[in-house]
Amino acid sequence: EVQLLESGGGLVQSGGSLRLSCAASGFTFSAYAMSWVRQAPGKGLEWVSGVSGSGGSIYYTDSVKGRFTVSRDNSRNTLYLQVSSLRPEDTAVYYCARAIRWLQSHDYWGQGTLVTVSS
Amino acid sequence: QSALTQPASVSGSPGQSITISCTGTSSDVGDYNYVSWYQQHPGKAPKLMIYDVSNRPSGVSNRFSGSKSGNTASLTISGLQAEDEADYYCSSYTSSGTLVLFGGGTKLTVL
């Protein structure tokens, strides 16, 4: 059974940092691209970042470039998102999701971890 | 890059059919057959319902179907059931800097 379990969220002041983790199980982690998708309270979904199975290809949405860093440790079956220089508008539930092919769709999602940025 | 455009809400009675539209541009929906639809119940993670415009993942009811014409994709739910009441999001792959676009979401109410 495919499982994705996020952790690392919390309350942080504006300008602060956190490292989000996503522990994967039930599939060959290194064979799949992965994404981070966020959802602000009461708002829609927003794709944040994607990384290829090897970690060699990485993309970000414009609003987080230079502030967020995605990485993965295939030996630990874990995806990471380092979020820095946080702003109140980064407040959201952050989901990790397994991608179909190269980000064309996402077939499994974790339960999410909440990041709250106070001003 | 702007999000894909969806109606804010749709409604229907049990047993009826409804359709949710998702309008993009020639750089995303119109250029790729990589439109997906997700269902999200309150407080839950999104669930993939349709991928590659019209394909259903294993386990998804055949009451859910997808299509595309030009820059607009559509999700149709037939034989509405109370459990279908949820938010629905479309998504498209795009070759622009933001590789994945989502729609703003549509709240489906089953009357």
Side-chain angles (χ1 to χ4, degrees):
Chain A
E1 178 191 7
V2 173
Q3 290 193 339
L4 299 170
L5 184 62
E6 301 94 335
S7 60
L11 175 63
V12 61
Q13 287 192 328
S14 183
S17 300
L18 286 171
R19 188 175 83 156
L20 309 183
S21 300
C22 171
S25 61
F27 65 101
T28 303
F29 183 64
S30 61
Y32 289 84
M34 299 290 294
S35 285
W36 287 98
V37 178
R38 67 183 178 184
Q39 185 170 35
K43 302 297 184 182
L45 301 172
E46 179 187 24
W47 179 80
V48 173
S49 180
V51 57
S52 62
S54 67
S57 293
I58 289 174
Y59 285 83
Y60 301 95
T61 192
D62 287 346
S63 63
V64 308
K65 284 180 182 176
R67 301 189 300 121
F68 290 11
T69 302
V70 66
S71 61
R72 63 190 298 159
D73 184 339
N74 287 342
S75 68
R76 295 178 182 270
N77 291 342
T78 303
L79 175 72
Y80 302 100
L81 185 68
Q82 178 72 38
V83 295
S84 304
S85 301
L86 283 165
R87 307 165 180 167
E89 57 264 36
D90 295 318
T91 294
V93 173
Y94 285 73
Y95 296 100
C96 67
R98 190 179 83 167
I100 293 177
R101 296 185 299 268
W102 173 234
L103 307 182
Q104 278 86 4
S105 187
H106 297 83
D107 58 355
Y108 287 94
W109 297 63
Q111 87 294 342
T113 187
L114 175 62
V115 173
T116 303
V117 184
S118 65
S119 55
Chain B
Q1 189 160 359
S2 300
L4 308 175
T5 300
Q6 298 181 232
S9 63
V10 298
S11 62
S13 299
Q16 289 186 332
S17 294
I18 63 93
T19 296
I20 300 171
S21 62
C22 170
T23 301
T25 70
S26 57
S27 297
D28 38 72
V29 174
D31 199 22
Y32 298 95
N33 288 324
Y34 295 140
V35 176
S36 301
W37 290 91
Y38 301 90
Q39 176 192 66
Q40 187 180 35
H41 288 108
K44 301 295 186 182
K47 175 186 176 183
L48 179 65
M49 306 302 284
I50 296 287
Y51 67 98
D52 293 355
V53 176
S54 60
N55 292 327
R56 277 188 310 275
S58 174
V60 172
S61 170
N62 59 10
R63 298 186 298 106
F64 292 82
S65 61
S67 62
K68 190 187 86 166
S69 178
N71 296 337
T72 298
S74 298
L75 172 71
T76 298
I77 309 173
S78 59
L80 270 179
Q81 299 179 0
E83 68 209 48
D84 299 332
E85 186 163 292
D87 293 325
Y88 290 85
Y89 294 90
C90 65
S91 173
S92 176
Y93 181 79
T94 172
S95 57
S96 71
T98 297
L99 298 184
V100 180
L101 290 175
F102 283 97
T106 298
K107 181 177 181 58
L108 168 62
T109 300
V110 180
L111 302 170

